[in-house]
Amino acid sequence: MATNKKSTPRYDLKAQDRKRNLAIQLGLTGIVVIFAVALVLYIVMSHDKKTAAAGDAQAVRITSSQLIKKDGTDEPKAVLSLYEDFQCPHCRDFEKAFGPTISKLVEAGAIAADYYSVAILNSRLNDNYSTRAANAAYCVGDADKEAFPRYHSALFAMQPEEGAGGAPDNARLIETARQAGVPTDKVSSCINSGKHSDMVEGLAAASKITATPTIRLNGQDISPASPEDLITKVKAIVGNVPGLDNAPAPPSPTQPTPAPTS
């Protein structure tokens, strides 16, 4: 009687290789997924950190002892907010055309000027000059409010060409602060450490700024056609203020005094 022969077991010699390759592929896929998730979390957390920092930031507020206030309060009746990037050519042009008038409005007590230095024009070519200059401006504002307008004007006077190299380094930003009247030891650490860098990089998004310069009067965007137009808009809020009948003429462009060489 014939019997069925048991089939000889056949072993897949490549099975272990396939299992090993599958394990490697799964492991690599897992690593890629973990890396992608970590990257997304890092970007989100960094953005949130900058936005939060910007949300907590205070402007550099410049006022005078003549400031006109709301009745029964210490709040200014008119606040002019200026959002600027020190790498922005249009901001430089605005400072040239309107800077003297804004100074006159401040001195007369017609406005409080709130300066917001934002960083939206960084590039590798200028070594993130927008951030460094904005940070330096806040450092000077922290150290000496009286020196801030001089430093603000000097930063625009020394503005590097957009999209090109040769931007001032931190040493020059510190020296310019000294020339504006702030001792080096009061700003060097702040400027070199980038104390306000996260804040200035997140400030535009937190303030819903999409272009510079952005000018707001009591929180409302305005686009004054001329210095005289700006004065008219301010007068509509505070009334007639002595000495504001005419806007001062813009000064001739000046460069900051060169740093002494050793």
Side-chain angles (χ1 to χ4, degrees):
M1 179 175 179
T3 59
N4 292 327
K5 292 183 178 180
K6 294 182 178 179
S7 59
T8 303
R10 293 187 297 176
Y11 297 95
D12 188 344
L13 298 178
K14 295 183 179 181
Q16 293 300 321
D17 289 341
R18 284 199 297 271
K19 289 180 180 179
R20 184 172 60 252
N21 290 340
L22 178 60
I24 292 173
Q25 290 174 355
L26 290 174
L28 291 174
T29 301
I31 292 173
V32 170
V33 170
I34 292 172
F35 176 78
V37 171
L39 180 61
V40 170
L41 288 174
Y42 172 77
I43 293 172
V44 171
M45 292 175 67
S46 296
H47 178 269
D48 288 345
K49 178 182 177 183
K50 290 177 181 179
T51 301
D56 295 337
Q58 298 294 318
V60 177
R61 172 166 287 186
I62 305 300
T63 63
S64 77
S65 59
Q66 308 299 318
L67 180 64
I68 298 172
K69 302 175 182 179
K70 296 178 182 178
D71 292 341
T73 75
D74 288 330
E75 292 297 315
K77 198 167 186 180
V79 177
L80 187 71
S81 302
L82 304 106
Y83 298 83
E84 307 165 307
D85 187 316
F86 288 109
Q87 181 63 77
C88 163
H90 295 300
C91 298
R92 177 194 60 205
D93 295 342
F94 180 86
E95 164 65 16
K96 178 181 176 182
F98 287 84
T101 297
I102 293 171
S103 295
K104 186 176 181 179
L105 287 166
V106 170
E107 291 169 4
I111 64 169
D114 280 359
Y115 290 90
Y116 293 89
S117 302
V118 305
I120 59 177
L121 293 174
N122 280 322
S123 79
R124 294 174 61 187
L125 289 175
N126 63 28
D127 192 22
N128 292 335
Y129 181 69
S130 289
T131 291
R132 294 189 296 105
N135 171 69
Y138 273 99
C139 292
V140 169
D142 288 345
D144 188 340
K145 291 286 184 67
E146 291 187 3
F148 178 83
R150 296 190 293 271
Y151 192 63
H152 175 268
S153 297
L155 287 178
F156 279 121
M158 59 195 258
Q159 183 183 93
E161 182 181 352
E162 188 176 9
D169 59 13
N170 286 353
R172 186 176 176 193
L173 292 175
I174 293 169
E175 172 58 22
T176 302
R178 186 193 67 78
Q179 293 171 4
V182 184
T184 298
D185 60 354
K186 288 189 175 182
V187 293
S188 58
S189 177
C190 180
I191 291 175
N192 284 327
S193 68
K195 177 180 178 181
H196 302 287
S197 293
D198 282 345
M199 183 269 291
V200 300
E201 290 177 1
L203 184 55
S207 304
K208 296 180 173 56
I209 297 301
T210 58
T212 53
T214 292
I215 314 301
R216 291 174 176 168
L217 184 58
N218 284 355
Q220 299 297 315
D221 287 7
I222 61 171
S223 298
S226 65
E228 291 78 13
D229 184 33
L230 176 59
I231 290 176
T232 298
K233 293 181 187 300
V234 171
K235 280 185 174 182
I237 297 173
V238 301
N240 290 323
V241 179
L244 291 184
D245 293 333
N246 297 306
S252 300
T254 58
Q255 294 290 332
T257 305
T261 55
S262 56

